[in-house]
């Protein structure tokens, strides 16, 4: 597809990291040019009293810090679940060192707690995720996020929220969602993605959807993430 990097961000987990690492090794054996491809390891955390955060490891220390954070979240809830709050992040903000933090926020979200946190961590600025998936409100969403970025000082970056590698897996993705929700498929309603755009889209399609500066920011972030499971 022409991608130069890809971030694996399972929810409160690094479950896919080892498989992705081994897949990249196999790809390099077949296509030596794949050596230049950057696999980024991270996780997605949904704060109990705040936004969802995408956390990416920049270094070995950052990967260890994120592992500590995931372990804390798992220990604070029953088995199979997790719990993490803004207060937990404040208390353990040293675990955000050597990481990239990207916040998923709506235009009406309160950014003050994250702004305070950003001023206390020894890391890059907290970025603001811009996810555009060909929805009816994409233009309005982009405008609102740009305004929020200007007010908060958090730079915008394009994100894909990819759930499948190709469009035709949408039916399987819907089925897995229904299983997770323990709800019959026909009653899942808006819990299902409204279209099949959450896949690894070709670069030419991304260029039609996202402003160029938001795509350039993804390359800038990827260049700072040097950790490998090797």
């Amino acid at each position: 597809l022409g991608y130069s990097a890809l971030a694996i961000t399972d929810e409160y987990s690094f479950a896919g990291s080892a498989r992705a690492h081994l897949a990249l090794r196999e790809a390099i054996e077949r296509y030596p040019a794949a050596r230049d491809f950057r696999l980024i390891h991270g996780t997605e955390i949904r704060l109990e009293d705040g936004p969802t955060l995408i956390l990416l490891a920049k270094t070995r220390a950052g990967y260890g810090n994120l592992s500590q954070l995931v372990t804390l979240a798992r220990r604070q809830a029953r088995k199979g679940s997790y719990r993490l709050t803004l207060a937990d992040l404040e208390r353990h903000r040293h675990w955000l060192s050597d990481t990239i933090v990207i916040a998923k926020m709506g235009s009406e979200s309160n950014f003050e707690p994250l702004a305070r946190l950003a001023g206390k961590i020894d890391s890059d600025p907290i970025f603001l995720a811009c996810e555009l998936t060909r929805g009816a409100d994409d233009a309005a969403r982009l405008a609102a996020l740009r305004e929020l970025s200007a007010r908060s000082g958090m730079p915008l970056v394009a994100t894909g929220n990819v759930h499948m590698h190709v469009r035709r897996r949408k039916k399987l993705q819907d089925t897995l969602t229904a299983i997770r929700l323990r709800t019959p498929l026909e009653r899942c309603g808006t819990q299902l993605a409204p279209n099949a755009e959450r896949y690894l889209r070709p670069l030419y399609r991304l260029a039609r959807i996202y402003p160029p500066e938001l795509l350039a920011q993804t390359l800038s972030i990827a260049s700072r993430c040097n950790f490998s499971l090797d």
Side-chain angles (χ1 to χ4, degrees):
L1 289 170
Y3 282 57
S4 59
L6 191 66
I8 306 296
T9 55
D10 289 318
E11 189 177 350
Y12 276 98
S13 168
F14 291 99
S17 287
R19 290 177 64 190
H21 177 70
L22 293 176
L24 179 57
R25 276 186 172 180
E26 292 176 7
I28 289 173
E29 290 178 2
R30 297 198 304 272
Y31 312 106
R35 291 184 182 277
D36 297 328
F37 184 82
R38 194 180 294 262
L39 182 64
I40 302 169
H41 299 278
T43 189
E44 181 176 296
I45 63 174
R46 301 187 183 192
L47 296 175
E48 191 170 79
D49 55 351
T52 294
L53 302 179
I54 302 167
L55 305 175
L56 309 177
K58 294 199 295 184
T59 63
R60 168 64 183 85
Y63 181 74
N65 288 340
L66 293 185
S67 297
Q68 295 267 41
L69 206 57
V70 168
T71 299
L72 173 67
R74 292 289 187 183
R75 284 178 171 172
Q76 293 187 149
R78 58 182 175 77
K79 185 175 176 60
S81 188
Y82 50 81
R83 180 180 180 274
L84 203 69
T85 65
L86 280 165
D88 291 327
L89 281 185
E90 175 79 24
R91 190 161 50 251
H92 301 286
R93 57 184 179 271
H94 55 286
W95 285 343
L96 295 177
S97 297
D98 291 302
T99 70
I100 297 286
V101 182
I102 304 173
K104 292 185 179 184
M105 301 178 71
S107 58
E108 301 303 318
S109 299
N110 179 14
F111 62 82
E112 295 294 342
L114 282 183
R116 288 196 298 270
L117 183 64
K120 296 178 181 179
I121 58 177
D122 179 23
S123 186
D124 291 88
I126 292 179
F127 293 89
L128 186 61
C130 179
E131 177 189 321
L132 303 177
T133 52
R134 291 292 193 187
D137 60 345
D138 272 7
R141 177 167 178 75
L142 176 59
L145 286 173
R146 277 178 158 162
E147 182 183 346
L148 180 59
S149 175
R151 286 192 289 124
S152 66
M154 293 186 285
L156 274 178
V157 60
T159 56
N161 194 17
V162 171
H163 283 64
M164 50 203 171
H165 66 300
V166 290
R167 292 178 66 103
R168 65 177 179 270
R169 303 290 272 202
K170 174 67 163 62
K171 290 182 179 180
L172 177 59
Q173 174 62 33
D174 288 349
T175 302
L176 289 172
T177 300
I179 292 170
R180 175 172 57 82
L181 297 174
R182 299 182 180 182
T183 302
L185 190 59
E186 66 271 13
R187 284 196 278 167
C188 286
T190 56
Q191 297 278 7
L192 304 178
N195 59 33
E197 286 293 304
R198 289 168 176 79
Y199 75 104
L200 285 171
R201 293 174 282 184
L203 295 182
Y204 74 87
R205 294 203 65 190
L206 296 179
R208 293 175 183 172
I209 297 168
Y210 290 95
E213 64 272 19
L214 271 61
L215 293 174
Q217 191 70 267
T218 68
L219 297 175
S220 175
I221 287 175
S223 69
R224 302 177 217 180
C225 298
N226 299 308
F227 172 69
S228 166
L229 285 181
D230 281 329

